[in-house]
Amino acid sequence: MLEALNLSKSFHKHQALKNLNLKIEPGHIYCLLGANGAGKTTTINLFMNFIQPSAGEAYINGMNVAKDSSATKKFVAYIPENLMLYPNLTGLENLVYFSGLADRKYNKEQYEEFLRRAGLQETAFHQRVASYSKGMRQKVGIALALTKDARALLLDEPVSGLDPKASNEFSKLLLQLQEKGIATLMATHDLFRARETGTHIGIMNEGQLVASLESKEVSHQELESLYLKHIN
């Protein structure tokens, strides 16, 4: 569902990503770990076609992202660290608006069901987003992915700043989506969540993927040791 082939990106003389090769199958949750500037967000941005690669290719559902950007976006939902919603609209109104931009339209009951499935409490459906916590906004993002029937999720530090309860709730939502065969690429600093939620883990350093493994292959302690070994 998501594939990078020798994907590279340079900004002037700085090479932010170097020959990334990555394949994420349906139902896999691939967690990218690494320090700030390691290349995690650059990877997400290349898959979203926010930036153009200097070399190599990114594919979503077998289609080249740079060549078929509009087509590939139909299959993917993107949740950044700080999801931008209209603060003066309710959660439901934001969902209606943004799903409409993706040519997806439903009735009121269906929109409410999407929010319910995303874990947002019903009392918040008709509250203005200005009153939402970050965790609540992220749930609206998951609901939007559901309205799009997205087959892939691109997540850039989605649990950063969340309290442990909200972070745990978000992880449970990802596991529910995994059961539906959705492929997920998540950039994160959270080693614990990567080990608990991810099916696969990649460690990046200075623009390179320096380790890639299945999460079940390592304990939390072994993952921490491996991470520190590669970034020091």
Side-chain angles (χ1 to χ4, degrees):
M1 183 53 62
L2 298 169
E3 186 173 11
L5 293 176
N6 297 316
L7 193 61
S8 301
K9 180 62 182 178
S10 295
F11 297 98
H12 302 292
K13 294 183 179 180
H14 173 65
Q15 192 163 9
L17 194 65
K18 305 173 186 177
N19 299 318
L20 176 67
N21 287 285
L22 187 65
K23 183 179 288 188
I24 304 172
E25 303 289 352
H28 287 179
I29 300 174
Y30 196 105
C31 296
L32 277 181
L33 296 170
N36 290 333
K40 305 186 303 297
T41 295
T42 298
T43 300
I44 299 286
N45 288 343
L46 286 165
F47 272 108
M48 285 301 300
N49 200 42
F50 292 156
I51 54 177
Q52 293 290 307
S54 302
E57 296 154 331
Y59 292 89
I60 296 177
N61 197 32
M63 294 181 289
N64 188 301
V65 171
K67 295 178 180 178
D68 298 295
S69 178
S70 296
T72 57
K73 280 186 171 62
K74 294 178 181 178
F75 297 96
V76 68
Y78 167 63
I79 301 179
E81 180 176 356
N82 294 299
L83 183 64
M84 300 302 293
L85 299 172
Y86 287 102
N88 291 328
L89 298 181
T90 67
L92 182 64
E93 288 168 341
N94 269 281
L95 188 60
V96 171
Y97 176 73
F98 285 109
S99 63
L101 293 180
D103 294 323
R104 301 288 180 136
K105 296 183 179 179
Y106 304 90
N107 61 40
K108 178 174 176 290
E109 289 73 24
Q110 288 172 312
Y111 281 117
E112 289 179 342
E113 180 58 23
F114 285 126
L115 290 170
R116 194 173 292 112
R117 287 170 57 191
L120 188 69
Q121 57 267 42
E122 293 189 26
T123 54
F125 290 1
H126 303 287
Q127 292 178 4
R128 290 186 178 185
V129 166
S131 68
Y132 278 22
S133 66
K134 178 179 177 179
M136 293 166 70
R137 293 196 301 271
Q138 301 297 60
K139 289 175 182 178
V140 175
I142 291 291
L144 182 57
L146 295 173
T147 67
K148 290 184 65 178
D149 195 23
R151 296 173 61 184
L153 277 178
L154 296 172
L155 310 175
D156 193 4
E157 301 288 352
V159 297
S160 175
L162 295 185
D163 61 49
K165 181 176 183 294
S167 181
N168 185 58
E169 289 175 349
F170 191 85
S171 294
K172 287 181 178 179
L173 288 171
L174 291 187
L175 292 174
Q176 291 172 16
L177 296 175
Q178 177 196 9
E179 292 177 356
K180 298 180 182 298
I182 292 176
T184 299
L185 175 61
M186 179 169 69
T188 181
H189 287 289
D190 193 332
L191 273 69
F192 176 80
R193 290 295 167 197
R195 171 63 180 75
E196 287 294 300
T197 308
T199 59
H200 297 73
I201 297 170
I203 299 174
M204 300 194 72
N205 186 37
E206 296 182 347
Q208 292 183 294
L209 185 66
V210 293
S212 184
L213 63 151
E214 293 186 34
S215 58
K216 63 183 180 182
E217 294 177 352
V218 291
S219 65
H220 289 290
Q221 185 175 4
E222 289 169 337
L223 177 60
E224 183 177 36
S225 296
L226 184 65
Y227 178 80
L228 293 174
K229 171 187 174 182
H230 282 293
I231 68 167
N232 285 341

